[in-house]
Every structure is written in structure tokens, then in C-alpha cells.
Amino acid sequence: MEKYLRKNFEVDSKNPSDEALQRWRSAVSIVKNPRRRFRMVADLAKRHEAEKKKLEIREKIRVALYVKKAALQFIDAGNRVAFILSEETKQAGFGIDPDELASVVRAHDYNLLKQHGGVEGIAGKVSVSLDDGVSEKDLPQREQIYGFNRYVEKPSKGFLMFVWEALQDLTLMILMGCAVVSIGVGLATEGWPKGMYDGLGILLSILLVVMVTAVSDYKQSLQFKELDKEKKKIVVQVTRNGYRQKVSIYDLVVGDIVHLSIGDQVPADGFFLSGYSLVIDESSLSGECEPVNINQKHPFLLAGTKVQDGSGKMLIASVGMRTEWGRLMETLSEGGEDETPLQVKLNGVATVIGKIGLGFAVLTFLVLTTRFLVEKALQHNFSNWSSVDALTLINYFAISVTIIVVAVPEGLPLAVTLSLAFAMKKLMNDKALVRHLSACETMGSASCICTDKTGTLTTNHMVVDKVWINEEINVIKGKESGINLRSMISERVLSIFLQSIFQNTGSEVVIGKDGKHAILGSPTESALLEFGLLLGGDFGSQRRESMIVKVEPFNSDKKKMSVLVSLSTGRFRVFCKGASEIVLRMCDKILNKDGIPILLSEAQIENAMGIINGFANESLRTLCLAFKDMDKNSSGDCLPAEGYTLIGVVGIKDPVRPGVKEAVQTCLAAGITVRMVTGDNINTAKAIARECGILTEDGVAIEGPDFRKMSPQEMKDLVPKIQVMARSMPMDKHTLVTQLRTVLGEVVAVTGDGTNDAPALHESDIGLAMGIAGTEVAKENADIIIMDDNFSTIVNVAKWGRAVYVNIQKFVQFQLTVNVVALMLNFVSACLSGSAPLTAVQLLWVNMIMDTLGALALATEPPNDRLMQRPPVGKNVNFITGIMWRNIIGQSIYQLIVLGVLKFDGKHLLKLSGSDADSVLNTFIFNTLVFCQVFMINRKRDQI
């Protein structure tokens, strides 16, 4: 095993620093079944190979980017002095040329920026107020001068191109040649118009097949283009007309003030205005993994990069094709969608069936030709050849080629694509955006869903329900409760409490166009700010009283947010809020009723923990608020981690979404295990999990720190029982997913919304990002985006995934049955009677029914509730099941018996006579075959 790992993964297995290999070795070592161990290593090999391919592609793009970037910078350096302000730009009131402004950002030259008066000077030249932002009435003019924030897209293929591609099929081209020869010989022997019939019939059938295929492919391309546009829709927050509002990145203009936070994508090139601890990941643009710190000395922000940490505001300087990303991507074409696993598997099936069909076609042609030659020899006409004999041989050849056309099941991949496209379109209407085709079919095999709590199982509409302050619990029920609380606590306590709410926040209270307060930010922050306003606080005045010096934004690892402010007295104060038990451990004092910090006793700590657990057991999300006064600014990069004074505990209510319990029950009935992975308090998580039906009597709820300490063997024993993981870090979720996939062999779907969820989303079989609460980083690493953040939508995706799989099975069963019947009928008839009952035109017609109409009928059937009453399909289960083989063989025997009786005794049964008896009989056989397929389609709907 060690040799295999070293050989295939190009790593030193003795090196303990190789965490990925060590994790895999641990997982493999505890699996006793040799076959399962081999499958695990094989799975690792496949994933490793895929990762290598991705890295190779990324390296190629990185090299291309560097070359292009160097060339552009060389051109810019040579042309830097050549910018002349146009009359149109002057008349519009702007003082800098669009290309010159774009070059300032691309140059990354701080001295060049200073020559333009710094960021303030640039703002003046583009006529924008850094406080109020762009005026909406100026938007058309800015778009005209500085351009739109859109990239040049590769033109899509037109309908005629799809027609041309459909005509490139080799067998169809051979048939067209046969048809032309048939027309020529027919006209020479039988004259006009009778000699045209056979050849013209073949040509018309080919044309019909080509047109139907082209129309189907063209519609799919339009549908995928529409879905691709949905993928690229990103909304950002900007300040315009003095108001903070949300706009699409496509509507951004030069001069816009954009607000950035963790996980956001930088929407255009620009300059940093203000912010705290802003760290940018430029790997998508430069290929370098080292993050870049953005500040006043290095204020350059580039489109396409991601905010890794911190928050800030930026001034848009260039948009669309003038951005660095736009110029570099101009020469790089987008790759197409990879084939899905099911398409790859069916392509293999199609190849095997095609070879069998080729064998039957050759045998049929040889049998027909041999019989023809033998008959001529017996009649002593072997030396006499006429145009009629040539036409007969051409017809034999056409029939053989048509058998290949019928036998090659090119409709299999078409059916998969049709079914996936149909499912993607319907899921879009049901608030699920499928980013990768393969995810749709994989979701149908999901056996486990690891879901977040907040916003997925709950509504994400939060409100403060209870507050523990001055060691007393206060229930909040509207304005009266706020007035009562104000009267119960001292002015000093209220002042510090409001400071901790309004100063230590990543959200903002703004005045809307209607004059009312509006809160922009996360639901948790919004609930606290609403509570602060309820207590009579003023966000603006609180912010003006003191200046923010340093901010440590909230993230999933620290589970707290801290801010350092300078007070009017010259001293400094740190505010901290976050996970209750974490913040409580940082406190050694508590605020008394007079607002004076006193030592925190053990009894008070136990009392506070009791309050926290009590709130959590009531399904409330708890936050501790604390502060620390300092005589001087914090030294070093981090704010203090101890010595805080506890202000109070806030309990925030976040109700369970309607329908979640029923959706969880549907999953359990379908054999899908639901596990909750959350950063919340374990008691809150358990209460919500019980309410949703996730946590059962024999289930286990565990905290992330305890899970982290376990050995591989302990994890293997416990993971199957885990139903709730609380206080989890992103790597805990990643470890859980790895264990489920590698040790238990489950197909795992994972939800995520934060930047740090990206590793778990990438590791899972299906990554599900939240459309509302999710960051752009999470969405980019996900396979499916849940637009409404609702767990019921995830269950709907699983149902559609199962429908795709079952629909393709129905189509495969139908296609194989028709293939067997058509091939055997012509082959057996050729051997026994010397003629084939189905002509080339008739076989082409059957082929069109199978490959297009059959696919449309079977591959686009919507899901039903019965699909969620069966277990998920395993990874290694055969696609063609025993029931399918029974149906294929049974239907084939039945149809061959019916058609065989008609072929060999049809004239007697139908009492046919005369010169046209053979033509009438063959037509009757063809119609019987078609009706057999029509009736079979109706029966297949319920037989898989």
C-alpha cells in the first residue's frame, strides 16, 4: 500500500508534513475489507489525477496571464505619455482619460497615483464625492465615456452551424452517397418520377434527422447560455446619491464607491479608500498564493480577485474590457462543460453497441449479397448484369449502412444532456442554480447531507428575544420592553452597552430614500443593531464620538469580532462579541449595576454559563458582549485575548423554516442521512436539531474541539452516529466529509456559505452554496447554488437528481430493446428469405423516433414522490439492472415473435395477394414495429 501511494502520488509517505497523505493512510489503514481498501485507493488515484489536470490547466493559464500581463505593461510603459483628454470627456466634466485612468491601476505605481493627487485627486477628476458616491442621473454619461462593466464574450454558434455539425456524421454521409447513386440508377432504369422515390426518400429522412438533431442541440445551447448568465450574476453594495444600496456588478460605473467584506469578489479595478485589515487573494489573476495586504500605501484593487479577510471601501477606476482581468481574458477562451460521469459511462455503452451493430450490418450485407449472387449463378445469369442488379446491391448496401445508423445509440448522450438540461431549467425555477452538469446526476446518489443551521434550517430572520444584563434576564417584546430595560439599568451601563453594539459591528445603519432607517449587513448584526435602535441609540452619533483604530472581523475560526476605538478622553477601548463560552473565558471582570467593572467570581461564571445554556436550550443563538479599557494602543497585530469585562449575554431568536421537518423526514425515508454542522452553541444546535427531526434518541451530538482530538479509529467508530456537530471550525467540516466519503463510502452533499467553507465544498461529492448568505468564494467552489437558502430546495435537488438517473435508465431500456428487435428482424429475414422487411427509409424513421422523440418523451419526465421512497443508488451499482435486462429480453422476444409471424406467415394471415403483396406486408410490419415502440414507451414509465 505504501509503495502504491508513493508511486501514484509523487510524495514521500515518510514525511509527516504531508497531511493529505497521512490522513488518507490513516483512513485506509482502519478499513479491514481488502476490496474496500483497494476501491478507496483507486478513488484517491482518480481524484489525484483530476487534481493534477486542474493544476496543469491552472499553470497554463498562469503562464498565459504572465506573458500577456508583461506585454500589456510594456505597451503601457511605452505609451504612458501619449494620453490626450478628448473633447467628449472634457465636455462631460471629467478630467482624466479612461485609458489613462485604467493604466494608473495596472501600473501599481504609487508615485504615479500621487502625481494625479492620490485617490482624492482621482475622485475629483472623475467628478465623484467620496461621501455621497455617484449621482444616478450621471450613470448614462459615465457608461458612455468610461464604458460598461461587461466582458467581451465569445459569440455563440448559430443554428446553421449545428446543422452543419449534424451533417458530419460519417454514416449519414455514406447514406447520402447511396441515395444519390440510387437516384441516378433509378432514373436510368425506371424513369421519372418512379426512379426518384427510394433515393429521395432516404435524402428526406436524413434531412429530417439532421434538422431534429440540430434544433435539439441549438435549444440546449441557448438554455445553457441562459444558465451561464445566471452563474455570473453578482450583487454588490455601493454608495450612490448618499445612500448605500445593492446593485448588479454589470451596472457598476467608474466613480462608484463599492463596499467589500470577507468572501466578496472585487467587481472592477479601483483604489482602496478606507477599511480594516483588508487582505486580497490575487491567485486567480496572478497565480500567486500569497495574499496581498491592501492599505493606503498599496491601494490597488483588481477585478476578479477575492477578499480573504477584513473589510473596506473602494473607488471604481476602470470597468469591463479596460480592467486588468478583461484585457487578459480577451485572449483566453472559456472551456466547455466537461462530460458527466453518466455521459462517459454511456459513451462506452454506445461504443460497444455500435461495434455489435457494425458486425450485424456486415453480416447482413454479406448474407444478402451472397444469396443474390448464388441465385444468379443458379439461374445461369451470373455473366449478365443490368442496372437493376446494381440498384439491388446498392439497396443492400444502404440497408446495411442504415443498420449501423440504427445500431449506434448516439441518442444515449443526447438523452443524458436533454434530461440534465431539463432538470437544470426546472431547478432554476425552483431556486437552485446548477453550476456543473455532473452535480445534478450525482445529487441523485447522495446518501448524506451535511447542512448548516443558520439560514438553511432556520429562516435567518433574527431578532433579540432575551438579554441578560446586570445579572438579570429581560424578555424583549417590542418598544415597551426597550423602554422598560432603559429604565432598569444605569446610564453608564446603557452607554457601554450601546457602544458595544454600534462600535463593534460590520453592518451599517443607513437612511433610505424614504427617510426610514435601514440596516445593511448579516442577520445577526442586524438583530443587534435593531435592538440598539430600540433602546434609543443613535448609530451616527456613536460612530462620531470615537474613532475606530483597528478591527478584527468575525470569521469561522475565531468565532468572535473585536474592535479597538480611541475615546474622546485619549484612552482606548476594545469591544469584543462572539460565541458566548469563548468570550466568557476571556473575561475576568463583570459590569455591576453602576457600570463599574468588578472581579468575576466563580459563582458568577457558573451563573453566566447557566444563563447561556438556558438560552441555548430555548433554541436561542447566544452572544456575549465584553470590553476592555486600555491606556495605550494595542501593540502587535492582534487585539488582547484576556482581561475583558463582561457586559451581558444576548439571546437571538431564529425560527425554524416552515416545511423543514417534513423535508428531513422525506430524506430519512429516502435513505439520506441528514447531519447538522454549525458553529453555534451545542445546546442551541441540539434544540434546533430535535425540532427539525435530525437528532434522534440514538444519535450523537458532539463539539468540534472534541471531534478534533479523536484518533482515526475513534472517528471511524463515531462518525456513523454523529447527527449534530456544534462549535465546528471549517476544517472540522472538511474532516467529517473526508471520513464519510473515504471510510464509509458515502456520497456526501455539503452546504456552505462562508469563505472558509470552500475546502469542505471542494472535498464533497456535491457542494451546495447558499445564494443569499453565501460569499462569492463559497459559490465559486460549489456545484449547486441554493438561491433561497432553504433546506427544502436541497431535497428537491436530490429528487430531480434521482429523476435524471431513472429517466436515463428508461431511455436506455427503450433504446436497447428497439436496437435488438430492428437488428435481429433484418438479419434473420436476410438469412432466411434473402430480403430485409425494413427499408433504409423505414430504418431511418425508426432511428429518429428512438434518438430524438424517444429521448424527449422519456428523458424529460418530472420526478414523483415514489422516487424518495427508495434508497439512493450506490457508487458501484451497475447502471443496467437485472429488472432492466428482464424487460429488454422479454420485450424483444415478444416483438420478434409478433414481427416474425407477420414476416413469414403474414400474407396468409392478412389474406394478401397480387403484385403489391410484399410491399403491403412490409409496410404493415413497419407500422407494427412503430406501434410496439409507442406502447413500450408508455409501459416503461413505471417499470424501472
Side-chain angles (χ1 to χ4, degrees), residues 400-442:
S400 300
V401 173
T402 310
I403 285 175
I404 298 175
V405 175
V406 175
V408 175
E410 66 270 17
L412 291 182
L414 170 66
V416 176
T417 309
L418 269 176
S419 189
L420 289 171
F422 180 71
M424 288 170 73
K425 183 71 174 176
K426 292 296 182 181
L427 284 170
M428 173 63 71
N429 297 334
D430 292 341
K431 305 296 183 185
L433 172 61
V434 180
R435 297 184 72 250
H436 301 130
L437 271 177
S438 58
C440 206
E441 66 184 50
T442 308

Side-chain angles (χ1 to χ4, degrees), residues 364 368 396 399 403 821-843 896 899-900 902-904 918-927 929:
T364 303
L368 289 173
Y396 288 165
I399 288 171
I403 285 175
V821 172
L823 292 177
M824 291 302 296
L825 180 64
N826 263 18
F827 177 69
V828 173
S829 298
C831 292
L832 298 180
S833 67
S835 65
L838 300 178
T839 65
V841 174
Q842 290 171 338
L843 283 172
L896 284 170
L899 296 171
L902 288 174
K903 169 63 182 172
F904 297 107
D918 287 334
S919 299
V920 173
L921 180 60
N922 287 341
T923 303
F924 191 85
I925 290 173
F926 170 69
N927 286 325
L929 175 67

Side-chain angles (χ1 to χ4, degrees), residues 553-730:
F554 178 89
N555 64 41
S556 302
D557 292 323
K558 295 179 291 187
K559 300 196 184 303
K560 62 184 179 68
M561 176 181 180
S562 303
V563 59
L564 175 67
V565 300
S566 62
L567 304 175
S568 56
T569 59
R571 299 187 68 193
F572 294 88
R573 179 171 288 172
V574 184
F575 292 102
C576 180
K577 72 177 178 191
S580 299
E581 57 269 35
I582 293 174
V583 176
L584 183 60
R585 283 198 296 268
M586 297 165 60
C587 298
D588 57 11
K589 293 182 282 293
I590 187 172
L591 212 59
N592 68 9
K593 293 184 178 182
D594 298 321
I596 299 171
I598 60 173
L599 287 175
L600 187 63
S601 65
E602 287 295 327
Q604 288 173 318
I605 292 174
E606 289 182 11
N607 183 35
M609 282 303 302
I611 296 298
I612 292 167
N613 291 331
F615 283 5
N617 288 329
E618 295 176 31
S619 302
L620 298 181
R621 191 175 194 181
T622 64
L623 290 176
C624 262
L625 306 180
F627 77 99
K628 179 178 182 177
D629 284 326
M630 302 168 62
D631 292 327
K632 59 180 180 179
N633 193 351
S634 173
S635 58
D637 296 330
C638 299
L639 295 176
E642 57 183 13
Y644 284 82
T645 300
L646 179 64
I647 302 171
V649 179
V650 178
I652 299 174
K653 190 174 185 179
D654 185 13
V656 172
R657 283 183 183 271
V660 164
K661 188 171 184 178
E662 291 77 8
V664 170
Q665 293 304 315
T666 300
C667 284
L668 296 177
I672 303 173
T673 305
V674 181
R675 293 177 168 88
M676 179 198 289
V677 184
T678 178
D680 261 352
N681 179 288
I682 190 166
N683 292 318
T684 305
K686 286 163 70 175
I688 294 290
R690 288 195 186 97
E691 190 175 346
C692 295
I694 294 173
L695 184 60
T696 59
E697 292 298 325
D698 56 346
V700 172
I702 190 171
E703 289 188 315
D706 297 330
F707 181 72
R708 253 169 274 150
K709 297 173 185 174
M710 290 183 174
S711 66
Q713 184 61 46
E714 289 173 330
M715 282 188 182
K716 180 192 173 186
D717 296 336
L718 188 67
V719 163
K721 303 174 186 176
I722 292 177
Q723 293 176 343
V724 175
M725 184 182 289
R727 289 294 181 231
S728 67
M729 293 176 66

Side-chain angles (χ1 to χ4, degrees), residues 146-296:
Y146 290 102
F148 296 85
N149 195 31
R150 296 177 185 273
Y151 302 123
V152 173
E153 295 183 1
K154 188 179 178 182
S156 56
K157 290 190 292 187
F159 175 69
L160 292 179
M161 183 58 70
F162 285 102
V163 173
W164 175 252
E165 288 178 356
L167 282 169
Q168 301 308 302
D169 187 283
L170 179 61
T171 52
L172 290 182
M173 292 170 71
I174 295 172
L175 278 177
M176 283 188 280
C178 291
V180 171
V181 174
S182 178
I183 290 173
V185 175
L187 288 174
T189 56
E190 300 182 40
W192 174 272
K194 193 175 180 181
M196 293 279 294
Y197 290 161
D198 287 343
L200 189 61
I202 293 175
L203 286 176
L204 289 175
S205 298
I206 291 171
L207 179 62
L208 189 58
V209 169
V210 166
M211 292 303 293
V212 171
T213 303
V215 168
S216 175
D217 290 343
Y218 181 61
K219 285 187 175 179
Q220 286 175 47
S221 72
L222 293 178
Q223 193 167 329
F224 286 131
K225 189 175 181 181
E226 182 183 341
L227 291 170
D228 194 52
K229 286 182 180 177
E230 288 291 332
K231 293 179 193 176
K232 296 176 181 177
K233 282 185 178 177
I234 300 174
V235 174
V236 294
Q237 292 190 9
V238 303
T239 297
R240 284 183 180 173
N241 287 352
Y243 303 108
R244 190 163 162 178
Q245 52 193 281
K246 295 180 180 180
V247 301
S248 167
I249 60 166
Y250 296 129
D251 297 328
L252 288 177
V253 296
V254 170
D256 263 326
I257 309 298
V258 177
H259 300 258
L260 300 173
S261 56
I262 294 178
D264 285 349
Q265 177 177 305
V266 179
D269 288 0
F271 304 104
F272 173 76
L273 292 175
S274 62
Y276 307 99
S277 309
L278 188 61
V279 179
I280 300 293
D281 175 12
E282 293 187 351
S283 59
S284 59
L285 191 64
S286 67
E288 299 297 335
C289 298
E290 194 66 27
V292 179
N293 291 299
I294 303 297
N295 48 49
Q296 301 293 351

Side-chain angles (χ1 to χ4, degrees), residues 759-781:
L761 291 171
H762 182 73
E763 174 68 19
S764 65
D765 295 286
I766 313 104
L768 304 163
M770 299 298 105
I772 299 172
T775 63
E776 291 307 317
V777 174
K779 292 176 186 177
E780 194 174 90
N781 282 275

